[in-house]
């Protein structure tokens, strides 16, 4: 079954709530588009696997500057001058909290999802090949810069 | 000083909980997954454990079961981003006293620990 555009909404709502609680920032959601394989993944990207009634992957991508700004706010305003172990852990945990919050929102719609532990990818000029199907991309503006949410997900096949 | 064992695979989350709990008068020890938590529980004998759910090696639900098998009086609070109803039920059935959803309010965690200690 194809990826439904409305599946992105719980992730954006979750992102808005989690960023507000952890960084006191408000966010603005951009227009969703389809990843046709030409998009480059930002320098710092958190990847989580989704298994259950809906299966797939969700990614949260940031520039290094944005990731440092968000990590600093998550650490109570502590100065962050490089993406060290603690900053990387903070950004990975941000992805974990957003996805966990989104999973709770899906469960209220009757869809149960388990979430993997987050992995953090660091690098530049990377592309993603989606194994199952296309992915949706939604840019989210924050006071620290842009967070890009990628979602590649489908409903589990009915038995 | 009451002892709290903080179990979470995220260093950031362990540090955040330490920042909240130490000023509130708790001695904090840490474990980075469920398997380490079971061993550390026996070494440290904490008054309360805060337990994440999704972790490598051994997840939090399994760790709760194993700690409760070793010590049926163990007081464990789940602190997880997975706050959906079925997960909360599973945690409580495995022996957890409370469930705090991330991102949390520091006061909520301290209150939950104090309540578990009785």
């Amino acid at each position: 079954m194809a990826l439904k555009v409305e599946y992105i909404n719980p992730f954006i709502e979750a992102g808005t709530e989690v960023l507000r609680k952890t960084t006191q920032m408000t966010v603005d959601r951009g227009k969703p588009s389809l990843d046709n394989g030409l998009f480059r993944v930002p320098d710092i990207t958190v990847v989580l696997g989704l298994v259950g009634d809906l299966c797939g992957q969700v990614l949260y991508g940031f520039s290094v500057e944005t990731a440092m700004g968000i990590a600093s706010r998550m650490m109570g305003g502590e100065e962050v001058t490089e993406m060290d172990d603690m900053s990387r852990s903070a950004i990975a945990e941000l992805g974990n909290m957003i996805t966990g919050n989104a999973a709770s929102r899906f469960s209220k719609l009757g869809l149960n999802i388990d979430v993997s532990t987050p992995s953090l990818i660091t690098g530049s000029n990377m592309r993603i090949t989606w194994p199952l199907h296309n992915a949706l991309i939604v840019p989210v503006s924050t006071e620290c810069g842009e967070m890009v949410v990628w979602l590649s997900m489908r409903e589990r096949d009915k038995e | 000083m009451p002892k709290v064992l903080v179990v979470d695979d995220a260093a950031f989350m362990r540090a955040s909980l330490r920042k909240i709990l130490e000023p509130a008068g708790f001695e904090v020890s840490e474990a980075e997954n469920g398997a380490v938590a079971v061993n550390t529980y026996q070494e440290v004998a904490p008054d309360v454990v805060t337990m994440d759910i999704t972790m490598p090696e051994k997840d939090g639900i399994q760790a709760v079961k194993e700690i409760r098998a070793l010590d049926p009086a163990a007081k464990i609070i789940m602190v997880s981003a997975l706050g959906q109803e079925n997960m909360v039920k599973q945690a409580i059935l495995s022996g957890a006293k409370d469930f705090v959803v991330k991102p949390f309010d520091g006061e909520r965690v301290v209150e939950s620990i104090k309540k578990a200690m009785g």
Side-chain angles (χ1 to χ4, degrees), chain B residues 7 31-40 55-59 63 66:
Chain B
V7 186
E32 68 270 25
N33 62 53
V36 174
V38 176
N39 292 331
T40 310
M55 292 183 287
E57 301 278 333
K58 185 173 287 178
D59 70 41
E66 292 185 23

Side-chain angles (χ1 to χ4, degrees), chain B residues 96-108:
Chain B
K97 298 275 183 206
D98 196 4
F99 200 109
V100 178
V101 179
K102 297 174 186 172
F104 47 73
D105 176 31
E107 285 173 19
R108 166 80 175 91

